[in-house]
C-alpha cells in the first residue's frame, strides 16, 4: 500500500501515514515578541538541515486578535527565510487573501494554502498564482472537484482523525482509487524542494 501523506497535522500520525516536518510561527502566536520566536524557528530549521522540511504554518488571520501589522511582518520574515533556504511554506490564511497574493509576488518557492474551504472562484484565483491547496475534513465539494490533482494535498490539521477516510472521500469524489490518489499526491510532493 502506498503511504498516505498528511501534509499538515498537529496530532500524532496513524499507521500508514507520513508527514513532512514544518517549522514556523503561527499567526495566532504573533505578538510583540514575535522576532524572538522567529529566531527559534531559524534554530529549528538549522537543526533539521539535510532532511526534508517546510516552513509553517505561518500566515495571516484578520479574525484573530494578534496585531495584523505584526502578522504581516512575521509573514515577510517567513517568506525571506523560505526564499533563502529554497523550501516551501504551509500557509494559514483567513480573510486576508488579497494581502497574501500581494506578498506572494515576491516569492519563488511553492506555497500550500492549508485547510482550504473557499469556493471554486477563490480556488481558481489561487491556482492562477501557482499556489497549491490542501483540503481537510471540512471542504467545499465544488472546489475539491475543480482542483487538479497535481495542485492538491490532504491534511488532518488539528483533528485526531486518521487521514485514510479523507483519502477515501476524495478518491471517490474524483472517481479514482485511493491508491491512485495517494500516488499522485506523493508525486506532487516529490517535485517540491523539501531539503537544503
Amino acid at each position: 500500500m502506498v503511504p498516505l501523506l498528511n501534509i499538515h497535522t498537529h496530532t500524532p500520525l496513524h499507521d500508514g501515514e507520513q508527514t513532512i516536518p514544518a517549522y514556523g510561527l503561527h499567526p495566532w502566536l504573533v505578538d510583540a515578541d514575535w522576532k524572538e520566536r522567529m529566531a527559534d524557528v531559524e534554530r529549528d530549521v538549522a537543526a533539521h538541515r539535510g532532511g526534508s522540511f517546510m516552513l509553517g504554518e505561518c500566515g495571516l488571520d484578520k479574525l484573530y486578535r494578534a496585531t495584523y501589522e505584526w502578522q504581516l511582518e512575521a509573514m515577510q520574515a517567513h517568506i525571506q527565510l523560505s526564499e533563502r533556504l529554497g523550501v516551501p511554506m504551509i500557509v494559514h490564511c483567513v480573510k486576508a487573501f488579497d494581502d497574501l497574493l500581494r506578498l506572494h509576488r515576491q516569492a519563488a518557492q511553492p506555497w500550500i494554502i492549508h485547510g482550504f474551504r473557499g469556493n471554486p472562484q477563490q480556488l481558481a484565483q489561487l491556482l492562477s498564482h501557482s499556489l497549491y491547496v490542501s483540503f481537510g475534513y471540512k471542504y467545499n465539494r465544488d472546489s475539491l472537484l475543480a482542483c487538479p490533482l497535481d495542485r492538491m494535498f490532504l491534511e488532518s490539521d488539528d483533528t485526531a482523525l486518521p487521514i485514510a477516510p479523507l483519502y477515501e472521500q476524495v478518491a471517490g469524489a474524483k472517481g479514482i482509487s485511493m491508491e491512485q490518489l495517494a500516488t499522485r499526491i506523493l508525486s506532487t510532493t516529490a517535485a517540491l524542494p523539501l531539503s537544503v
Side-chain angles (χ1 to χ4, degrees):
M1 175 69 182
V2 177
L4 303 178
L5 179 68
N6 187 342
I7 198 74
H8 179 71
T9 183
H10 296 278
T11 62
L13 294 172
H14 296 267
D15 288 343
E17 294 181 10
Q18 65 182 38
T19 195
I20 299 161
Y23 307 101
L25 185 58
H26 193 290
W28 294 357
L29 301 176
V30 173
D31 58 16
D33 296 328
W34 76 265
K35 289 179 183 174
E36 288 79 18
R37 291 196 176 118
M38 195 66 197
D40 292 338
V41 170
E42 293 215 32
R43 280 191 286 278
D44 289 342
V45 164
H48 202 83
R49 287 213 177 201
S52 295
F53 68 94
M54 296 183 290
L55 292 182
E57 144 187 27
C58 56
L60 303 171
D61 191 332
K62 285 189 174 178
L63 295 184
Y64 201 71
R65 67 179 179 266
T67 302
Y68 194 66
E69 283 298 312
W70 291 339
Q71 288 185 45
L72 286 166
E73 291 173 12
M75 184 61 177
Q76 288 171 330
H78 282 90
I79 294 167
Q80 291 168 1
L81 184 58
S82 168
E83 294 300 307
R84 182 164 44 92
L85 296 174
V87 296
M89 293 196 311
I90 293 280
V91 178
H92 172 109
C93 188
V94 177
K95 304 289 186 194
F97 279 106
D98 288 344
D99 287 335
L100 189 81
L101 292 175
R102 180 180 50 78
L103 291 170
H104 185 257
R105 288 188 203 119
Q106 60 186 280
Q109 296 309 313
W111 291 12
I112 302 165
I113 306 300
H114 100 84
F116 183 71
R117 298 181 194 177
N119 62 38
Q121 294 77 21
Q122 192 175 45
L123 173 69
Q125 183 182 32
L126 297 177
L127 295 177
S128 74
H129 284 86
S130 301
L131 295 166
Y132 295 82
V133 295
S134 178
F135 295 94
Y137 275 97
K138 295 179 183 175
Y139 57 85
N140 179 310
R141 182 175 170 81
D142 291 336
S143 294
L144 179 83
L145 292 173
C147 189
L149 289 173
D150 65 348
R151 305 305 287 178
M152 168 192 294
F153 293 98
L154 300 178
E155 65 178 75
S156 63
D157 195 16
D158 57 0
T159 72
L161 297 171
I163 199 78
L166 181 59
Y167 269 81
E168 286 179 37
Q169 287 176 26
V170 173
K174 290 286 198 180
I176 60 176
S177 73
M178 202 165 132
E179 185 144 343
Q180 287 172 310
L181 176 61
T183 300
R184 289 295 299 272
I185 288 176
L186 288 175
S187 174
T188 300
T189 307
L192 297 176
L194 295 168
S195 60
V196 294

